Amino acid sequence: MKITAIILASGFSKRFGGNKLLALYKGKPLMMHIVDKVVKQNFYEVIIVSQYDEVLSLVSHAKSSKGIIKAVKNNNPQKGISESIKLGVKVSQPCDAYMFFVGDAPFIREETIEDMMRMYERIEVKETAILYPFYEEKRGNPVIFAQVYKEELMGLSGDKGGKQIIARHSEYAIGYEVGHPKELFDIDTQLDFKEVL
């Protein structure tokens, strides 16, 4: 099964007041925590999309289990998260599914990523499946979309991302319950960052 990981790292960090992806957490930039977890998994391909040269430079020497990470520059970040999604899908090789991560939610466990991949592979109707993590009523990232949604992913616009696809195809969406709410926690503000510190 060929699952491609796409890490979205093009946000403006307006509420944070600086580039949160480069904020140091436990001695390394925040976004590298998710990158380091992703590259350890058996993904068919790993792609990172960012508007920031500093972020792309950070991952330029990182390697996944299958080789060098593809680093893609987003020159139109003002178009919202949909632009990063489309760029990631566009440069990906033909695969069975896409697993989307966000650079500001670094606390997902390696075991959760691995378990979600295994669960997806076991789904009988994986050709149309969408797998998302949740804790109680809260959904989060990463989300796996079957390849059949490629055209819809490429047709996204604005800053809503894949949520609109999940809403349209809710009958095919399957939840994976994570063990702790922190796994889905994304950092938006300095206060959020202070909490995790």
Side-chain angles (χ1 to χ4, degrees):
M1 173 125 241
K2 297 175 180 177
I3 301 177
T4 290
I6 299 175
I7 304 170
L8 310 172
S10 286
F12 284 97
S13 306
K14 288 178 181 175
R15 287 188 285 164
F16 191 81
N19 191 343
K20 61 185 172 184
L21 299 172
L22 300 176
L24 290 180
Y25 175 66
K26 292 189 175 178
K28 63 182 176 184
L30 193 68
M31 59 143 303
M32 289 307 296
H33 287 270
I34 196 69
V35 171
D36 289 346
K37 291 171 187 174
V38 167
V39 296
K40 290 177 183 175
Q41 306 302 324
N42 189 32
F43 284 109
Y44 178 58
E45 191 174 22
V46 177
I47 298 164
I48 184 162
V49 184
S50 183
Q51 66 163 309
Y52 301 107
D53 291 330
E54 303 94 322
V55 167
L56 298 176
S57 177
L58 269 176
V59 301
S60 62
H61 300 296
K63 290 187 177 181
S64 71
S65 61
K66 300 288 175 68
I68 300 293
I69 294 175
K70 271 187 190 171
V72 182
K73 182 71 180 284
N74 181 352
N75 292 313
N76 296 292
Q78 72 282 357
K79 292 184 178 180
I81 197 170
S82 60
E83 184 70 8
S84 289
I85 291 171
K86 290 189 282 189
L87 285 169
V89 171
K90 185 177 181 180
V91 303
S92 66
Q93 298 181 54
C95 60
D96 299 307
Y98 310 96
M99 190 169 189
F100 291 95
F101 296 82
V102 290
D104 63 351
F107 306 115
I108 194 84
R109 296 182 312 131
E110 289 176 36
E111 295 82 0
T112 298
I113 299 170
E114 190 176 347
D115 204 32
M116 284 185 70
M117 292 171 72
R118 278 201 304 261
M119 180 176 172
Y120 184 83
E121 289 175 3
R122 292 195 301 266
I123 296 171
E124 286 187 18
V125 288
K126 54 180 158 284
E127 293 80 8
T128 55
I130 300 169
L131 183 63
Y132 63 88
F134 73 96
Y135 185 86
E136 295 181 348
E137 299 298 313
K138 178 180 170 63
R139 292 185 184 184
N141 290 290
V143 179
I144 302 178
F145 288 91
Q147 197 276 340
V148 72
Y149 299 107
K150 179 179 180 178
E151 292 307 313
E152 288 187 63
L153 289 165
M154 291 299 294
L156 290 172
S157 62
D159 211 31
K160 291 184 180 176
K163 290 179 181 177
Q164 43 200 310
I165 297 176
I166 296 173
R168 278 199 297 269
H169 303 283
S170 57
E171 69 272 29
Y172 299 118
I174 300 166
Y176 171 93
E177 187 169 13
V178 299
H180 193 281
K182 186 178 179 183
E183 290 199 71
L184 306 183
F185 187 72
D186 59 334
I187 295 168
D188 291 322
T189 65
Q190 287 285 349
L191 186 60
D192 292 340
F193 192 50
K194 285 175 183 174
E195 274 187 42
V196 301
L197 289 176

